[in-house]
Amino acid sequence: MLIRSRRACFNPEFSHWQLMVEAATQQKNGPGSVEEAEKTEQSTADKVLTEEKGQLEEQLKEMTDKYKRALADTENLRTRSQRMVEDAKLYGIQSFCKDLLEVADILEKATESVPKEEVTSQNPHLKNLYDGLVMTEVQIQKVFTKHGLVKINPEGQKFNPYEHEALFQAPVEGKEPGTVAVVTKVGYKLHGRTLRPALVGVAKAS
């Protein structure tokens, strides 16, 4: 009895004469030759499938890496965008605050220029004016604080180049070198960020 080749079973185009040739080969060489040929054919197919599997696994790994990188980039972009929006909310009023600081400076100078010894009930007009200036200055500082704007008055503190701007250095009795001896103009911070540095004089060793 002839052993049919797998190609004959699964390939309808496998012709009758090819079957006869295979049968003759089988009769000549014996059934073992056909089995060996089929084993060789199966081994080759397994090898091809293994290679294809390896290629697919490599492609899957590559696509997975690209997907993870794309996710990371998207998350970084989202984080940066969110931070920019938050910064815009916090610091979008910087220009407006700087303009108001000039008003606060004028109020402060006006209050300081009033002779304190003349602010008495005997001089009601001056007293009312002075009290009005003080109340206005207090109120504007409350508004500043409400919106994250805080005054920097560093007299006696260690000089900080991120918050102070040194106008001069001079020996000052009773002041430790490197500390702020004089504040000629107060500074301000907006939500922890220096909006305007304080203008100061720094003590140095004599």
Side-chain angles (χ1 to χ4, degrees):
M1 181 177 179
L2 297 179
I3 300 175
R4 279 197 168 189
S5 170
R6 293 183 182 180
R7 289 178 296 176
C9 294
F10 296 103
N11 188 350
E13 297 180 358
F14 203 83
S15 60
H16 179 68
W17 70 270
Q18 288 174 311
L19 287 175
M20 294 179 63
V21 170
E22 188 175 286
T25 303
Q26 180 181 348
Q27 290 177 355
K28 180 178 180 181
N29 299 328
S33 299
V34 175
E35 291 177 0
E36 290 177 3
E38 290 182 351
K39 287 181 180 179
T40 302
E41 184 179 346
Q42 181 65 34
S43 176
T44 303
D46 290 342
K47 184 178 179 181
V48 171
L49 289 175
T50 302
E51 292 177 354
E52 290 180 352
K53 179 184 176 183
Q55 292 175 358
L56 290 174
E57 288 177 345
E58 186 67 28
Q59 291 175 6
L60 177 61
K61 181 180 178 182
E62 183 179 350
M63 293 300 295
T64 303
D65 290 342
K66 288 182 178 179
Y67 176 69
K68 289 181 179 179
R69 285 197 296 269
L71 280 182
D73 291 342
T74 302
E75 180 62 21
N76 290 337
L77 179 61
R78 189 191 67 79
T79 303
R80 286 196 300 269
S81 300
Q82 184 176 357
R83 189 181 301 117
M84 290 173 63
V85 170
E86 291 174 355
D87 287 348
K89 289 179 180 179
L90 290 176
Y91 305 108
I93 58 173
Q94 283 189 126
S95 298
F96 180 66
C97 288
K98 283 184 178 180
D99 292 339
L100 284 181
L101 294 185
E102 300 300 324
V103 178
D105 292 339
I106 294 171
L107 280 172
E108 186 177 7
K109 289 186 180 299
T111 304
E112 291 174 352
S113 65
V114 176
K116 304 300 184 292
E117 64 276 7
E118 296 185 14
V119 182
T120 64
S121 57
Q122 296 176 353
N123 197 349
H125 296 296
L126 182 60
K127 186 176 186 305
N128 291 338
L129 176 61
Y130 178 78
D131 290 344
L133 288 173
V134 171
M135 290 175 62
T136 304
E137 187 178 4
V138 170
Q139 185 61 34
I140 199 170
Q141 289 299 327
K142 286 183 179 179
V143 173
F144 285 173
T145 303
K146 178 181 177 181
H147 293 280
L149 191 61
V150 181
K151 183 187 290 188
I152 303 174
N153 191 349
E155 186 173 355
Q157 299 177 11
K158 193 75 174 177
F159 176 75
N160 183 351
Y162 297 104
E163 297 181 3
H164 316 144
E165 182 178 339
L167 299 178
F168 62 89
Q169 285 185 307
V172 180
E173 187 177 352
K175 296 289 184 180
E176 183 181 349
T179 60
V180 175
V182 181
V183 178
T184 60
K185 194 173 188 178
V186 296
Y188 282 89
K189 280 183 175 183
L190 180 61
H191 295 293
R193 178 187 295 178
T194 302
L195 181 64
R196 187 183 76 183
L199 303 181
V200 302
V202 181
K204 71 174 184 178
S206 55

